[in-house]
Amino acid sequence: MKLGRLLADELARIFWQKGTYVGYGALVVLVSLMTLAIWRFGSPFHERLEAGSDFLIAGKLISGVTVARLLMEPALLVLVPLLVAAISGGVFAAEMQRGTMRVLLCRPVRRWQVATAKYLAGWTHAISLTLFLGLSGLLIGWAVFGRGELIAFRGGLTILTEQMALLRLGQAYLVAALGMCAVASVALLCSQLVHSPLTATAATVAFLLIGGVLAAMPYFEWLSPYLLSTHLEVFSQLFSSQVEIAPLRWPLVCMGLYVVVPFIIGQIVFRYQDITC
Amino acid sequence: MEPAVATEGLQKRYGRSWAVRGVDLVVEAGQIYGLLGPNGAGKSTTMRMLLGLIRPTAGHVRLFGRSIGLDGVTEPGLVGALVEAPALWEYLSGYRNLAMVAGLSGAVSAAELEWALRRVRLWGRHRDRVKTYSHGMRQRLAIAQTLVPRPRLLVLDEPAGGLDPEGLIEVRDLLRELAADGVTIMLSSHLLHEVEQTCTHVGIIARGELLASGRVDELLGAEERYQVQVTDEQAAERVLSSLAAVREHQRVGEREYAVWLAEGGPEALNAELVRAGVGVRGLARRHTALEDIYMELAGASRASAEAIGSAMQELPANLEGGPE
């Protein structure tokens, strides 16, 4: 009951800030620009298809699902993690900076409830942002290009029926949402450890970037399976003609750990933290 | 009946410096208790430890007999608290700020919210975003947050901060009204006159130590004195030193003395001075202000701290940081 109330308040505080909608606005702008570019210059698949002279292209090459698919890499590897880090990075730190944390904790609430509500709100925002990206891509894509199949390249050419493409897109966006929840968890933990939202956001972005750099270096190849940055792109495996579960298992477990471990550490930190703000 | 607030050996240490050391405090239900001390004396740290915001290094806190643990106060309606400057969500309305915080204590009616907002003169501006409020309005809104639901104990850290004279009087009246309704109030302040005019009881804290605690009138009454202005300082000194009726005297200015009488009244003192040929230009009874007691206690504490400090300097280095 109390947790539900805290979560509702937390979500209200996130979604009543104008700044939150800057993120959604940025995604709409990205989707629109991408759709415009595809409409004007064609799909990036065009060149690859035309390069293989054995192909005869007949029918519709681009549809709404194509837009939703093409968006994923640029948005979910750069923009959405940044937006998630910006909001989640402020969830604890902004309360500390404003002093409203002490107002909350002077009320008859338990610390674990406050921390849990904040993590749940951060995850909710991350999921909503990811699904919003997919939905807006699909809707704008449908509006401009209409309905049709999804042509994807992953270890060869794959053509998915619209029904299958929608299913795969749904699964891929859910996997991406798990990754964004992991980013949110890291940002929330950073937000607990520093008292500035900007610092928490910067620390999260640095964490992701350093992970990406390390994964690209041969000396740290052994570290790569344990880095969050390595697994954020795992959703692309869902667009193969046959989806294999085994290669997905560890990335999903790893991202799940990145969601849960910061949460547990965060609970311990918050329980013993002196509120001096 | 359990005291509203009871602390036992309350201590807080940050690294090697003490913020609060060994505070034993008892606030009985129904009192308006003022914790008085300069900035950095340990008032806010003490208040935060009472509310569970800061974990004591040692010692215990009990509110109405309930031990305060890591989760602070978990019983709805027990404590309303305002700690330091008002902390509000700027992008929300005053009403929403109040409703959001009050709702964490359970179901709160719209009538209760309206009562609190009217009580602090914010009804009418309650739909406006807090970012449009002045500092005084924010302070009043923060006070309103402490009133819903009506608490058994109100803990206010520097409640007068940012209030105009009218606001100060209103807060004072409000506190008296709440106390009359049975609400125990504990406030901290560095403003002597605020504590003197508002509180029934006072604790004086400096350098993390509680130097004195008791009824305000008793503390003041025990230190009644007279201010005497004379024409001849040497003669006055001779008379004041020889008179049995004078318990103590102290030169406080040019041809001016503070005199504490052991017996008799000021008329006898006046007569003795005149008889000795000392012209009395002024004789006034002076109620000792809390300020005097405070300065005396704080001065004593400072002297003792300095004495301890110099003693520590003389200790061999390997003894430093030994048992406190």
Side-chain angles (χ1 to χ4, degrees), chain B residues 3 44 118 132 178:
Chain B
S44 291
R118 283 192 188 283
T132 65
L178 289 167

Side-chain angles (χ1 to χ4, degrees), chain A residues 2 5-6 9 13 16-17 95 98-100 102-103 105 107-111 271-272 274-277, chain B residues 12 48 52-53 55 70-71 73-74 83 85 87-89 91-92 96 99-101 104-105 145 148:
Chain A
K2 195 58 74 65
R5 170 82 204 198
L6 282 164
D9 285 351
R13 286 196 286 273
W16 281 352
Q17 283 186 80
E95 300 272 29
R98 272 194 299 262
T100 41
R102 63 174 186 259
V103 176
L105 294 180
R107 290 279 150 175
V109 290
R110 296 188 184 277
R111 285 194 178 201
R271 179 152 184 79
Y272 296 100
D274 280 343
I275 308 300
T276 52
C277 62
Chain B
K12 183 66 187 177
R48 281 170 192 261
L53 294 174
R55 283 184 310 129
L70 287 171
D71 277 317
V73 182
T74 52
V83 181
L88 303 156
W89 291 277
Y91 52 92
L92 300 180
R96 187 69 206 173
M100 196 176 261
V101 171
L104 293 175
S105 300
Q145 283 179 332
V148 189

